[in-house]
């Protein structure tokens, strides 16, 4: 049986002690940040929908509590989009992000199959809040067709708002 010389054992113990000491020094350095303040203004997004969110609007834990689930899209634009494009099968609809994604479908009286992705980005009934992307099996459609579908959705949304105001 081979024996380990005393010098090698001592050297090994010094290496372990040095590594442990270095880890403790690095770990103790992390405690220096406990009194540091966080600049909220530097982290705030200054554009888009995030600009309208109040500071007391909630926290990350609200997602687990189930409280304050608010929808940030216009209900008239949402309903009008579903009604105007009712010939398309819905693949995904998320009212919290405002995205409606459809599969391919053929409009009544048409021969071309389309699919659409609709983004409603604002709670206001406004043309800027609506973005429609149409696609055929051969690729994207021209801008005039997309504009016509957007106009049809906006007109239907205005009709729905007028009818809701009567009651």
């Amino acid at each position: 049986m081979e024996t380990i010389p005393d010098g090698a054992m001592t050297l090994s113990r010094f290496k372990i002690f040095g590594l442990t000491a270095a880890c403790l020094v690095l770990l103790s350095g992390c405690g220096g940040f406990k009194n540091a303040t966080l600049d909220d203004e530097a982290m705030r997004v200054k554009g888009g929908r995030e600009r309208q969110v109040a500071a007391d609007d909630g926290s990350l834990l609200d997602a687990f509590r189930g409280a304050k689930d608010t929808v940030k899209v216009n209900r008239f634009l949402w309903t009008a989009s579903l009604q105007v494009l009712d010939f398309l099968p819905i693949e995904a609809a998320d009212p919290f992000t405002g995205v409606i994604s459809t599969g391919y479908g053929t409009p009544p009286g048409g021969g071309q199959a389309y699919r659409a992705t609709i983004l409603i980005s604002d709670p206001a009934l406004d043309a800027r809040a609506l973005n429609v992307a149409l696609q055929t099996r051969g690729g994207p459609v021209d801008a005039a067709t997309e504009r016509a579908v957007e106009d049809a959705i906006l007109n239907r949304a205005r009709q729905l708002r007028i009818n809701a105001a009567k009651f």
Side-chain angles (χ1 to χ4, degrees):
M1 183 166 183
E2 208 175 305
T3 60
I4 301 174
D6 286 335
M9 189 69 148
T10 307
L11 182 63
S12 175
R13 286 184 183 166
F14 277 130
K15 285 182 182 179
I16 291 173
F17 177 74
L19 183 61
T20 304
C23 288
L24 286 174
V25 168
L26 288 174
L27 188 61
S28 67
C30 294
F33 295 110
K34 65 182 176 185
N35 292 330
T37 59
L38 184 63
D39 186 12
D40 292 331
E41 187 64 30
M43 295 178 50
R44 185 170 294 131
V45 178
K46 297 185 174 46
R49 268 199 286 178
E50 290 83 7
R51 184 179 55 205
Q52 299 170 357
V53 175
D56 59 347
D57 206 21
S59 70
L60 181 63
L61 296 177
D62 287 340
F64 299 108
R65 290 185 195 127
K68 292 185 181 181
D69 286 338
T70 58
V71 178
K72 302 281 187 191
V73 298
N74 185 284
R75 68 181 176 125
F76 300 118
L77 284 174
W78 184 268
T79 306
S81 298
L82 293 175
Q83 288 179 357
V84 168
L85 299 173
D86 65 347
F87 62 92
L88 298 174
I90 295 176
E91 289 183 351
D94 186 8
F96 297 100
T97 59
V99 176
I100 302 171
S101 180
T102 68
Y104 284 101
T106 306
Q112 183 76 7
Y114 296 96
R115 80 174 190 184
T117 302
I118 301 104
L119 173 64
I120 303 169
S121 60
D122 199 293
L125 179 54
D126 193 343
R128 291 175 293 191
L130 179 68
N131 188 7
V132 176
L134 287 175
Q135 182 179 2
T136 64
R137 295 191 191 273
V141 299
D142 59 346
T145 306
E146 285 184 358
R147 255 191 318 273
V149 172
E150 284 180 357
D151 289 341
I153 292 172
L154 288 168
N155 286 334
R156 181 64 185 143
R158 289 182 191 112
Q159 291 172 356
L160 290 171
R161 184 182 65 185
I162 290 169
N163 289 339
K166 290 180 183 178
F167 297 107

